[in-house]
């Protein structure tokens, strides 16, 4: 484990969609830098196991089952952070899904499902977290958008719309919350190697990877390090920003 533990020492962080992939890596990196972390995920067993794994690495963490589209379950995560770890300083809206299909083939149900998880889920997280943070004089919220929300991907009209929507929501919330000491920023990852992108056809993955100026797909830690920066005092004068973590793709 890194010896650097001061960036988030004494803070409590919540990461949604943290049972695996980018979310789990964000939780680990925030934990390595001193945060107590609450992992929230739809999948109960997986999130408890993920939190136990982090405890095994010396990070104070708990897992909580939560569907980010459910208002009460999102509030329950805030309550857990406060009762178990004494506060709420950082909230990362990371939970996400894809249901890719061309316009010809995409069902209305899959359009609604994807926009619901990303947009409603992020909105519920921003609302619940900021309510608690403003009472306590401040905090940092980081929303995970995507380069698909900047450039648009064929086969992802649902996902691209949702990820672009997260950018607008981030800026609106940042303006509302700035004078309460709550900063709201977003990250737009490019192609990152996780279960989500391993589900892509191999030739699509390779074609996308070939278009990256840095000539490689990103790793979850590449995203997690930028979330750490935005969560910490190093970014204390940043709000409403959207940072691309994409190896130069679509710059
Ligand atoms: P993943 O599929 O590996 O993990 C997503 C996690 O979110 C899973 O643990 C899943 O159980 C959880 N989840 C799904 N629906 C949920 C719900 N309703 N409530 C709570 N948890 C839920 O995905 P990955 O790749 O780690 O992606 C994480 C985030 O990063 C997502 O928002 C994704 O859209 C975004 N992203 C990923 C990129 C990539 O290349 N992998 C690129 C750009 C953005």
């Amino acid at each position: 484990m890194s010896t650097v533990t001061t960036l988030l020492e004494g803070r409590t962080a919540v990461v949604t969609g943290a049972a695996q992939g980018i979310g789990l890596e964000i939780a680990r990196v925030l934990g390595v830098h001193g945060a107590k972390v609450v992992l929230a995920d739809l999948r109960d067993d997986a999130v408890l196991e993920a939190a136990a794994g982090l405890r095994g690495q010396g990070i104070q963490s708990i897992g909580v089952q939560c569907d980010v589209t459910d208002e009460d379950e999102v509030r329950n995560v805030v309550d857990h952070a406060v009762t178990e770890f004494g506060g709420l300083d950082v909230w990362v809206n990371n939970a996400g899904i894809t249901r890719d299909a061309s316009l010809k083939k995409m069902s209305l149900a899959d359009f609604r499902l994807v926009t619901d998880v990303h947009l409603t889920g992020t909105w519920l997280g921003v609302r619940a977290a900021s309510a608690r943070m403003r009472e306590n004089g401040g905090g940092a919220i980081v929303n995970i958008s995507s380069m698909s929300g900047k450039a648009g991907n064929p086969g992802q009209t649902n996902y691209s719309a949702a990820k672009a929507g997260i950018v607008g929501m981030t800026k609106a919330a940042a303006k509302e919350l700035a004078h309460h000491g709550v900063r709201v920023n977003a990250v737009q990852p490019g192609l990152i190697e996780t279960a989500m992108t391993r589900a892509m056809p191999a030739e699509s993955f390779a074609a996308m990877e070939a278009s990256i100026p840095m000539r490689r797909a990103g790793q979850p830690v590449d995203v997690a390090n930028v979330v750490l920066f935005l969560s910490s005092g190093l970014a204390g004068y940043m709000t409403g920003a959207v940072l691309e973590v994409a190896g130069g793709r679509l710059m």
Side-chain angles (χ1 to χ4, degrees):
M1 192 203 289
S2 163
T3 51
V4 182
T5 56
T6 51
L7 279 178
L8 296 178
E9 200 64 60
R11 317 262 177 88
T12 298
V14 169
V15 184
T16 71
Q20 66 178 43
I22 295 171
L24 177 54
E25 185 61 8
I26 292 170
R28 187 191 69 79
V29 168
L30 299 186
V32 163
H33 288 267
K36 294 166 273 189
V37 283
V38 179
L39 284 66
D41 202 284
L42 194 55
R43 292 172 302 124
D44 198 12
D45 291 349
V47 78
L48 294 179
E49 203 176 299
L54 293 188
R55 287 197 298 277
Q57 298 171 53
I59 293 166
Q60 271 187 274
S61 65
I62 56 165
V64 182
Q65 196 277 333
C66 166
D67 179 346
V68 294
T69 66
D70 185 301
E71 190 171 16
D72 294 334
E73 291 186 16
V74 172
R75 267 207 209 99
N76 180 47
V77 177
V78 174
D79 293 344
H80 265 81
V82 173
T83 50
E84 303 278 338
F85 292 143
L88 179 62
D89 306 289
V90 174
W91 183 286
V92 184
N93 286 303
N94 164 83
I97 57 166
T98 50
R99 290 291 183 279
D100 297 356
S102 66
L103 274 169
K104 254 172 130 174
K105 294 188 181 147
M106 188 180 292
S107 65
L108 177 59
D110 277 348
F111 180 82
R112 286 196 168 135
L113 180 65
V114 168
T115 51
D116 201 30
V117 171
H118 292 278
L119 278 182
T120 312
T122 300
W123 184 77
L124 286 173
V126 169
R127 192 181 60 164
S130 63
R132 168 71 202 186
M133 288 171 178
R134 54 196 280 178
E135 276 171 23
N136 271 33
I141 296 172
V142 182
N143 297 328
I144 307 299
S145 171
S146 165
M147 292 302 285
S148 309
K150 175 186 177 179
N153 266 346
Q156 291 196 318
T157 48
N158 49 3
Y159 184 81
S160 299
K163 289 304 201 185
I166 286 175
V167 170
M169 190 192 306
T170 298
K171 293 179 181 182
K175 286 179 182 171
E176 276 193 36
L177 296 167
H179 66 287
H180 295 289
V182 180
R183 299 182 298 103
V184 190
N185 293 290
V187 174
Q188 291 189 312
L191 181 68
I192 309 296
E193 270 190 78
T194 68
M196 187 179 272
T197 48
R198 279 194 290 272
M200 291 166 66
E203 50 295 356
S204 309
F205 188 97
M208 206 180 265
E209 192 169 35
S211 73
I212 299 170
M214 290 180 76
R215 293 270 182 268
R216 68 169 178 91
Q219 296 300 316
V221 70
D222 295 317
V223 179
N225 285 336
V226 177
V227 173
L228 168 69
F229 164 69
L230 289 172
S231 303
S232 77
L234 291 176
Y237 196 53
M238 289 179 73
T239 198
V242 183
L243 301 187
E244 296 178 10
V245 185
R249 188 172 146 254
L250 299 169
M251 69 175 107

